[in-house]
């Protein structure tokens, strides 16, 4: 590889196509936090807050720290990434937390890529099979904007150097890359390139694994990349938007790429997750999806035509649809509108949980509703869904859903007034009943201008949330854990359902 502008590059790439379980968990958590506390003494030792008015501060340099993402690590902690504009250019930064919420690196994180952009696009964060953080992003250190990727070790070492490695060497328009650590220990990156979707697989050293990048080109119209997830046997699943052009419809497509060579393993014409001739996705909406853990994928999205409505679909490992073509609607109440869904998946029961913003017909009132779908795609919480928050004047957004036990938890930002946008959460069981008392808890009660709320599930049975908070020109990155009993901070509920210090169910 040839050195270029502070980083490595792969310019030769060619684009052609229980002791019991609860006791073990408690001991492991103690030993893990103790080990990292001794080994990483220079890292800041702030921990998860138990007060929603004082959340854990991840980044608080001058100017803007925005567009947070969070990915879980095997020890119960997480990586958190963001764009930092303190020095100009929306640089890529990364921080690692242990399960107790201790920063493992210096406060304000590690600089991954020094950039010069004056605006942002989407980017990707993932974790590989050995616990390294993976990032994919646009890079402007070349004459033309390129796609780059970085691999960061658990101790903060930049394994592919400052700025990462170049994945592209093109004069084409490139945008919105995502990245995934595949089950065979390699890495897949995907992005939009002009009207195509392009993907490439790299080995752990950043060298090309496939002989050439895979190009998914439309027969007509254009493709715009949406999301990427690792799948079974080293494969990867991609989703994208097919646009007919102009005022034409926008539909959701997907494909699985084989591990060895990137060959399409689903239908030759790809899988049309949603292609209703009378319907379309909202312009600018690029839905994410989840791996189902069995070689398939779970999708949630909303349409803008013929009306604003939420849908879900599961695509099985072989590319077949689990539910009716074009998915299942979340609610049959035709008097209401629905937008911005977020999906969670229970691989044990094969149930889908979907939460969304509910609107009145005039879009002047906002609520929060949810729905559970069984393995056959049948609605379980009535045909209208479960009301979490009734319609009112306070806007509801940034919905994040996680699967917990036999039910799900959902978090959201609620706009009460200017400079008053708290983050709240609740948990529902499999019947749609509220689990906690009080039913709704604050995650961030002092939030002033919440942006890009992100969530993940810790391997130790709690959820982790990260977001930007502030006002125009000044945003910080904050984080908060949420235990399965609705509390914050210490007293973590582990995956087996027992609370720290609860010996009533020990053997």
């Amino acid at each position: 590889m040839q050195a270029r502008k502070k980083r490595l590059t792969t310019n030769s790439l060619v684009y052609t196509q229980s002791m019991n379980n609860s006791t073990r968990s408690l001991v492991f958590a103690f030993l893990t936090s103790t080990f990292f506390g001794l080994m990483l003494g220079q890292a800041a030792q702030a921990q998860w807050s138990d007060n929603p008015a004082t959340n854990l501060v991840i980044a608080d340099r001058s100017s803007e720290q925005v567009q947070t993402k969070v990915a879980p690590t095997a020890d119960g902690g997480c990586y958190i990434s963001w764009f930092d504009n303190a020095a100009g250019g929306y640089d890529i930064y990364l921080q690692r937390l242990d399960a107790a919420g201790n920063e493992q690196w210096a406060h304000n994180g590690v600089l991954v890529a020094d950039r010069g952009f004056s605006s942002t696009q989407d980017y990707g964060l993932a974790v590989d099979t050995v616990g390294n953080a993976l990032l994919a992003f646009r890079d402007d250190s070349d004459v033309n904007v390129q796609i780059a990727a970085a691999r960061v070790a658990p101790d903060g070492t930049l394994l592919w150097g400052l700025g990462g490695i170049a994945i592209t060497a093109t004069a084409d328009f490139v945008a919105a890359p995502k990245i995934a650590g595949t089950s065979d220990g390699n890495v897949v990156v995907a992005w939009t390139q002009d009207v195509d979707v392009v993907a490439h697989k790299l080995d752990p050293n950043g060298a090309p694994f496939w002989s050439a990048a895979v190009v998914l080109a439309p027969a007509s119209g254009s493709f715009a990349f949406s999301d990427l997830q690792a799948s079974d046997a080293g494969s990867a699943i991609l989703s994208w938007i097919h646009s007919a052009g102009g005022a034409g419809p926008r539909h959701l497509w997907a494909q699985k790429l084989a591990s060895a060579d990137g060959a399409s393993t689903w239908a030759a014409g790809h899988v049309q997750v949603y292609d209703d001739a009378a319907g379309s996705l909202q312009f600018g909406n690029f839905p994410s999806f989840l791996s189902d853990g069995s070689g398939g994928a779970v999708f949630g999205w909303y349409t803008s035509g013929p009306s604003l409505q939420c849908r879900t679909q599961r695509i099985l490992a072989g590319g077949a649809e689990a539910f009716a073509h074009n998915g299942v609607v979340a609610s049959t109440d035709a008097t209401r509108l629905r937008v911005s869904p977020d999906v969670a998946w229970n691989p044990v029961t094969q149930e889908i949980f979907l939460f969304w913003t509910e609107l009145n017909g005039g879009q002047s009132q906002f609520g929060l509703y949810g729905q559970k779908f069984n393995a056959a795609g049948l609605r379980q919480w009535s045909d209208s869904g479960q009301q979490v928050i009734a319609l009112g004047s306070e806007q509801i957004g940034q919905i994040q859903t996680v699967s917990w036990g036999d039910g799900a938890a959902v978090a959201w930002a609620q706009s009460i007034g200017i400079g008053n946008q708290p983050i709240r959460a609740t948990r529902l069981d499999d019947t749609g009943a509220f689990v906690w008392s009080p039913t709704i808890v604050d995650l961030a009660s002092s939030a002033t201008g919440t942006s890009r709320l992100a969530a993940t599930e810790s391997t130790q049975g709690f959820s982790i949330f990260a977001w930007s908070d502030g006002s125009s020109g000044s945003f910080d990155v904050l984080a908060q854990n949420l235990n399965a009993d609705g509390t914050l901070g210490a007293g973590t509920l582990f995956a087996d359902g027992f609370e720290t210090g609860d010996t009533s169910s020990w053997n």
Side-chain angles (χ1 to χ4, degrees), residues 130-391:
V130 293
N132 299 304
L134 303 171
L135 295 110
F137 46 89
R138 293 187 308 146
D139 173 69
D140 61 352
S141 64
D142 195 21
V143 174
N144 300 300
V145 172
Q146 306 296 343
I147 299 299
R151 188 167 178 251
V152 185
D155 66 359
T157 300
L158 303 179
L159 298 174
W160 292 350
L162 180 63
I165 59 172
I167 309 300
T168 61
T170 180
D172 295 341
F173 169 78
V174 293
K178 296 290 179 65
I179 195 166
T182 52
S183 60
D184 57 3
N186 295 301
V187 177
V188 171
V189 183
W191 63 94
T192 298
Q193 185 163 333
D194 280 348
V195 298
D196 303 330
V197 168
V198 183
H200 213 319
K201 190 171 186 178
L202 312 175
D203 70 17
N205 296 317
F209 184 89
W210 294 336
S211 60
V214 172
V215 178
L216 304 177
S220 62
S222 63
F223 287 165
F225 176 65
S226 188
D227 200 14
L228 167 71
Q229 297 293 335
S231 192
D232 56 332
S235 66
I237 299 174
L238 291 72
S239 68
W240 64 90
I241 303 299
H242 174 258
S243 175
R250 294 163 46 83
H251 292 148
L252 181 60
W253 291 23
Q255 182 59 265
K256 183 194 281 190
L257 303 183
S259 172
D261 56 7
S264 296
T265 66
W266 288 350
H270 312 301
V271 172
Q272 282 75 56
V273 180
Y274 179 78
D275 66 351
D276 188 345
S280 176
L281 272 70
Q282 182 79 42
F283 180 80
N285 180 29
F286 296 91
S288 59
F289 70 92
L290 302 174
S291 167
D292 69 0
S294 301
V298 178
F299 295 84
W301 71 95
Y302 75 99
T303 60
S304 59
S307 63
L308 295 169
Q309 296 295 339
C310 295
R311 293 174 176 265
T312 190
Q313 177 66 276
R314 181 186 177 197
I315 305 298
L316 303 177
E321 297 172 313
F323 311 149
H325 184 55
N326 288 320
V328 183
V329 296
S331 171
T332 59
D333 182 355
T335 67
R336 300 274 186 86
L337 303 175
R338 293 157 197 95
V339 297
S340 304
D342 193 58
V343 67
W345 166 249
N346 186 325
V348 176
T349 62
Q350 298 195 349
E351 294 170 329
I352 295 172
F353 297 90
L354 194 74
F355 289 83
W356 64 87
T357 299
E358 185 97 352
L359 304 168
N360 66 339
Q363 301 184 45
S364 60
Q365 293 186 308
F366 313 87
L368 178 62
Y369 276 64
Q371 182 64 270
K372 184 180 86 168
F373 302 85
N374 67 13
L378 300 177
R379 290 178 291 273
Q380 300 297 290
W381 291 348
S382 84
D383 280 340
S384 298
Q386 174 63 49
Q387 176 182 291
V388 177
I389 298 177
L391 290 183

Side-chain angles (χ1 to χ4, degrees), residues 78-127:
C78 67
Y79 290 108
I80 298 176
S81 61
W82 65 93
F83 292 139
D84 188 315
N85 200 34
Y90 289 101
D91 303 326
I92 306 288
Y93 273 78
L94 183 70
Q95 179 61 270
R96 178 173 162 242
L97 304 181
D98 68 10
N102 295 307
E103 293 180 317
Q104 299 301 285
W105 308 332
H107 184 60
N108 284 311
V110 170
L111 174 65
V112 177
D114 184 358
R115 312 189 311 162
F117 291 109
S118 60
S119 62
T120 67
Q121 286 187 5
D122 202 6
Y123 69 106
L125 171 67
V127 180

Side-chain angles (χ1 to χ4, degrees), residues 17 23 35 48 51 144 219 268 274 282 343 352 367 436 441 447 466 485:
Q17 274 269 84
T23 306
F35 172 79
W48 295 123
N51 183 353
N144 300 300
Y274 179 78
Q282 182 79 42
V343 67
I352 295 172
W436 301 331
V441 301
D485 62 353

Side-chain angles (χ1 to χ4, degrees), residues 49-74:
S49 172
D50 60 3
N51 183 353
T54 55
N55 305 111
L56 179 62
V57 178
I58 303 299
D60 57 356
R61 282 153 48 97
S62 62
S63 189
E64 295 182 338
Q65 288 81 47
V66 295
Q67 220 156 315
T68 55
K69 292 182 183 288
V70 57
T73 53

Side-chain angles (χ1 to χ4, degrees), residues 413-437:
Q414 189 162 341
S415 297
I416 296 175
I418 298 175
N420 187 6
Q421 194 179 30
I423 300 172
R424 292 171 171 164
T426 192
R427 182 180 177 185
L428 283 67
D429 65 18
D430 63 328
T431 69
F434 292 101
V435 173
W436 301 331
S437 179

